[in-house]
Amino acid sequence: MYSPDEILEKSIEMGTKKIAKPLLAKLILGFIGGAMISLGYLGYIRVISSVAEQWGSFASFIGACVFPIGLIVILLGGGELITGNMMAVAVAWFDKKVSGKDLAINWLTITFANFLGALFVAYFFGHVTGLTTSGHFLEETATVAQSKIAATPIQAFISGIGCNWFVGLSLWLCYGAKDSAGKILGIWFPVMTFVAIGFQHSVANMFVIPAAIFEGNATWLQFIQNVIPVYAGNIIGGAIMVSGLYYLAFKHHD
């Protein structure tokens, strides 16, 4: 592992590189990012659906073990995820390597592309292929989506903070690891933990709530009312709880 001071410099460098990518690359990689997170969530649903009632929280743990594959693919194979950019681009902005305008445009671009990727998986891989349309799988999709929607705005906001504190830490550890096995472990444990706890991830919700909508178990208004506070919480979790605090702790100004 690199030292925390070195990880900070690597995070700033990664955030700066994210801004420099051409628009087409951002849109393609953002689409991949949204799709991969969604496929991880689809894996979660398929794995735990038939045992959710009998196995209780242990079923959730098994599902949480499957979910991190999405972020592993994104960070090792290539992809852009807004919750990760909330950490990486923010720390580059704190270090004055990118402008506030650059940050805002990047976040909006990646959010849009992530949403398209999530919708693509929810509709084609979930609805059209029938993986979320019947039996235990439909039931679990509806249950998970409704549990997200049922949160009050303040609950969704705070849950979003907790989620992206962990996601930001997974990026931090990934940037700090020197080999691929270390990177995978660094990503896997924080992501598994936030999923097992049940914290809300805005891009994951862009998959599971529309998946329920396509099956007639939720509405677009409910989706919007959920995603806005979760997204705001994700910003605080990534940009403040990870980037902000570590920047204050480890950036030594002469």
Side-chain angles (χ1 to χ4, degrees), residues 18-249:
K18 287 178 180 294
I19 295 295
K21 286 175 182 170
L23 177 61
L24 181 61
K26 287 175 185 167
L27 290 171
I28 292 170
L29 294 171
F31 177 84
I32 291 169
M36 287 301 118
I37 288 295
S38 301
L39 286 166
Y41 215 157
L42 183 58
Y44 170 100
I45 288 169
R46 295 291 294 186
V47 165
I48 77 165
S49 292
S50 59
V51 295
E53 284 186 25
Q54 303 96 301
W55 291 13
S57 59
F58 185 64
S60 298
F61 171 72
I62 295 169
C65 291
V66 173
F67 183 86
I69 184 62
L71 194 59
I72 289 168
V73 171
I74 290 164
L75 289 175
L76 272 66
E80 291 281 316
L81 186 67
I82 183 56
T83 45
N85 286 25
M86 288 169 179
M87 174 271 189
V89 179
V91 78
W93 179 66
F94 290 142
D95 205 49
K96 298 182 169 58
K97 294 291 193 295
V98 305
S99 69
K101 181 183 175 184
D102 287 336
L103 178 144
I105 291 172
N106 178 270
W107 284 5
L108 287 170
T109 304
I110 301 304
T111 301
F112 171 72
N114 284 171
F115 181 52
L116 290 183
L119 278 185
F120 178 84
V121 172
Y123 185 74
F124 288 104
F125 292 159
H127 181 68
V128 175
T129 61
L131 294 179
T132 55
T133 57
S134 62
H136 293 300
F137 307 116
L138 172 59
E139 197 176 306
E140 185 63 22
T141 303
T143 301
V144 171
Q146 286 300 325
S147 72
K148 307 297 183 189
I149 291 165
T152 64
I154 189 67
Q155 287 173 335
F157 173 71
I158 295 171
S159 182
I161 295 174
C163 162
N164 220 27
W165 197 343
F166 277 115
V167 174
L169 287 172
S170 71
L171 262 77
W172 181 265
L173 296 176
C174 175
Y175 295 160
K178 293 184 178 181
D179 60 31
S180 56
K183 290 179 184 296
I184 289 168
L185 290 172
I187 297 163
W188 190 82
F189 280 100
V191 174
M192 179 271 291
T193 303
F194 100 71
V195 177
I197 291 171
F199 286 149
Q200 299 212 36
H201 185 285
S202 53
V203 180
N205 288 12
M206 289 176 190
F207 161 74
V208 75
I209 299 175
I213 290 169
F214 295 142
E215 310 308 337
N217 287 296
T219 67
W220 287 109
L221 178 60
Q222 289 174 321
F223 168 74
I224 292 165
Q225 290 171 335
N226 169 267
V227 164
I228 290 172
V230 170
Y231 189 92
N234 287 167
I235 291 174
I236 302 299
I240 305 300
M241 306 308 289
V242 180
S243 296
L245 294 181
Y246 282 154
Y247 188 82
L248 286 173

Side-chain angles (χ1 to χ4, degrees), residues 5 8 247 249-254:
D5 301 68
L8 178 64
Y247 188 82
F250 296 123
K251 190 67 180 182
H252 307 297
H253 296 283
D254 298 325

